[in-house]
DNA sequence: ATTCTTTTAATTGTCAAACCTTTTTCATTT
DNA sequence: AAATGAAAAAGGTTTGACAATTAAAAGAAT
């Protein structure tokens, strides 16, 4: 008789259970905010122990699919997918990749230029007065000479985030989490300094002006110019760093 | 005396441990492929029980940060972040959002148009002969009239994926997972049919031709035209569906 | 000496049963 | 009527054990 290899379980029980419940949620067999059976009940239904059930639930909770609360009205509930949670997950995944140096600075800047140019174009078309106010407010902050580098960078991130929001395009906003939360910070880390800050604020102001005037092409051109300038500075900074490292090595100093 | 409410622990133990280990990995205090202490050891070090440690590890495993193996040389190891795993995580998060109808079809198509136009431009500049062969192969598949709708859509996804790959930009490829794995499938689901298929293949062929000729602008224009055409068909399809629903309701039929 | 097999030990995976903590509900007391 | 407190329900945690897996060491056969 032919053996049914399928029946040989190769994955752990907790994973199987997690997959079953996940599938039920994704296929809509479990509605949003619906309560799952208690952990005790689940362990009885699946014929496995409670700790194993809990491992499965923890995995699903880590993926923002469910939440748990204690108490008589507590239990485990299906989460409504929301943009912020998804955005955080996306940002975490890409930050991790960027952190280990998966990408070159040059291609990161290219990706920034192209995607942010889109956002500027759409923002020029769709921006509300509120959006303008948000952008304006960040520029005011950035003009403050006494700002720390960290605070300036944070404001820079908020400025670019505000552009994305002004585009009024939800799907694009979701995608741009990668740029906003990972690519911008990694490029900003390298270009501190008074001079660059002033140049940046100038570019920001021109972008805002173009968006306010609903001039899509100019807005796109301004952000392109802004980021191309940054690319040049970045490459210079990396060159300096590289030559310093070479010089240091030549002097016999170990870099680590 | 003012009470220090902060010191009251509000988060669960397993979450605290997960956060600690995650921070250690993100800050590089745990290197890639480094082995963590055994679960037993961890439970002793943190002063908590093994099941609780396991819950924490499961959460990290769900985030692709670690992997576990049994046996004498087994244990828990730090994962190297890789593009595919991150891409899958991103795709999952966005698929979930798209699935519950967070976005309108119109803004999804807009996002597709703008981002895919970028990819076409870059692909025209950077494509290799290999890239061209991959695109060509998909078009050959799509010309087969006997193809099922599912197979056609799968090939369509592969075609667009190949364009992204041809762009040669890693960061962009990461971002485009959202488009490729979520936005394309959801737009394709609605436009089956012989006529649309033939139109699509025609557009694909023209895009390929422009990319092969390294004509960035033409490639971008072709994909724009392709997707704008799809937008029109989609809106028609949705209108038909809506009016059918209204008609059905008027006849006294309950839609659910 | 080499190769095959068996044993062994380390480690994750699972289980069972209890206890702890939080939170709501509801009865009791003031 | 309001404050208090007990009970119950649910997730959170512990303990201690056993099962399954797997690499390496030990032993047996060639």
């Amino acid at each position: 008789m032919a053996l049914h290899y399928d029946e040989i379980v190769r994955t752990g029980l907790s994973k199987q259970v997690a997959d079953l419940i996940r599938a039920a949620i994704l296929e809509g067999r479990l509605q949003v905010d619906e309560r799952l059976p208690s952990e005790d009940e689940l362990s009885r239904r699946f014929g496995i122990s409670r700790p194993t059930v809990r491992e499965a639930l923890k995995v699903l909770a880590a993926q923002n699919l469910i939440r748990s609360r204690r108490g008589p009205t507590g239990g485990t509930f299906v989460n409504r997918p929301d943009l912020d949670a998804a955005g955080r997950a996306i940002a975490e995944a890409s930050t991790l990749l960027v952190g280990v140096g998966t990408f070159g600075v040059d291609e990161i800047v290219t990706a920034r230029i192209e995607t942010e140019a889109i956002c500027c174009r759409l923002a020029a078309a769709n921006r509300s007065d509120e959006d303008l106010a948000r952008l304006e407010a960040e520029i005011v902050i950035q003009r403050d000479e006494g700002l720390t580098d960290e605070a300036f960078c944070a404001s820079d991130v908020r400025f670019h985030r505000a552009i994305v929001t002004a585009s009024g395009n939800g799907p694009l906003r979701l995608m741009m989490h990668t740029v906003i939360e990972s690519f911008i910070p990694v490029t900003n880390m390298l270009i501190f300094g008074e001079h660059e800050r002033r140049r940046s604020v100038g570019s920001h102001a021109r972008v805002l002006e173009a968006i306010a005037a609903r001039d899509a092409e100019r807005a796109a051109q301004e952000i392109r110019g802004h980021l191309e300038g940054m690319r040049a500075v970045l490459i210079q900074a990396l060159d300096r760093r590289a030559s310093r490292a070479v010089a240091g090595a030549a002097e016999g100093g170990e870099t680590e």
Side-chain angles (χ1 to χ4, degrees), chain A:
Chain A
M1 163 195 166
L3 290 173
H4 290 243
Y5 288 104
D6 294 355
E7 293 178 10
I8 297 176
V9 175
R10 279 247 150 272
T11 61
L13 286 178
S14 72
K15 184 167 187 333
Q16 291 179 54
V17 170
D19 289 345
L20 280 173
I21 298 177
R22 184 186 301 107
I25 293 174
L26 263 41
E27 289 167 20
R29 297 203 317 274
L30 286 169
Q31 300 287 321
V32 166
D33 288 332
E34 185 174 340
R35 211 200 105 163
L36 275 68
S38 74
E39 298 181 350
D40 237 336
E41 177 70 23
L42 283 174
S43 68
R44 255 175 285 131
R45 294 235 197 131
F46 286 114
I48 63 179
S49 70
R50 222 187 105 192
T52 305
V53 168
R54 281 180 60 77
E55 283 181 7
L57 294 180
K58 281 283 171 187
V59 166
L60 298 177
Q63 297 172 340
N64 279 305
L65 286 167
I66 58 172
R67 61 183 182 279
S68 293
R69 250 194 7 249
R70 288 202 266 209
T73 61
T76 304
F77 301 84
V78 178
N79 271 343
R80 173 178 306 282
D82 73 301
L83 213 141
D84 279 346
R88 270 195 305 277
I90 288 176
E92 245 178 64
S94 52
T95 301
L96 197 63
L97 270 186
V98 170
V100 298
T102 310
F103 304 127
V105 180
D106 204 55
E107 58 179 350
I108 289 179
V109 174
T110 300
R112 275 196 69 178
I113 291 177
E114 299 299 337
T115 55
E116 295 199 55
I118 291 173
C119 294
C120 281
R121 260 194 223 102
L122 292 178
N126 303 326
R127 97 284 188 293
S128 68
D129 291 344
E130 237 179 291
D131 294 319
L132 290 184
R134 257 200 300 275
L135 291 167
E136 181 79 53
E138 294 305 332
I139 289 181
V140 169
I141 291 174
Q142 291 163 22
R143 285 224 163 91
D144 176 3
E145 306 270 335
L147 217 58
T148 65
D149 284 331
E150 288 73 25
F152 183 86
C153 286
S155 171
D156 183 64
V157 167
R158 284 196 302 273
F159 181 83
H160 288 266
R161 201 187 341 247
I163 293 177
V164 176
T165 304
S167 77
N169 188 293
L172 193 60
R173 189 170 147 218
L174 180 68
M175 296 181 65
M176 291 301 289
H177 267 88
T178 300
V179 172
I180 304 289
E181 315 298 336
S182 302
F183 298 167
I184 292 186
V186 85
T187 41
N188 273 0
M189 278 180 77
L190 298 163
I191 53 156
F192 283 147
E194 178 83 13
H195 179 64
E196 280 313 311
R197 271 164 66 158
R198 222 173 267 168
R199 226 173 51 82
S200 279
V201 181
S203 294
H204 287 172
R206 286 195 299 280
V207 169
L208 166 58
E209 199 186 305
I211 290 177
R214 298 202 179 279
D215 187 339
E217 279 320 306
R218 208 173 92 222
Q221 272 316 110
E222 288 296 345
I223 200 91
R224 287 195 114 88
H226 172 41
L227 294 174
E228 283 293 1
M230 179 176 289
R231 189 209 296 269
V233 174
L234 265 171
I235 290 176
Q236 270 181 21
L238 286 179
D239 277 354
R240 269 202 308 279
R241 177 176 293 196
S243 55
R244 261 206 310 275
V246 170
E251 283 170 20
E254 198 53 48
T255 48
E256 192 168 2

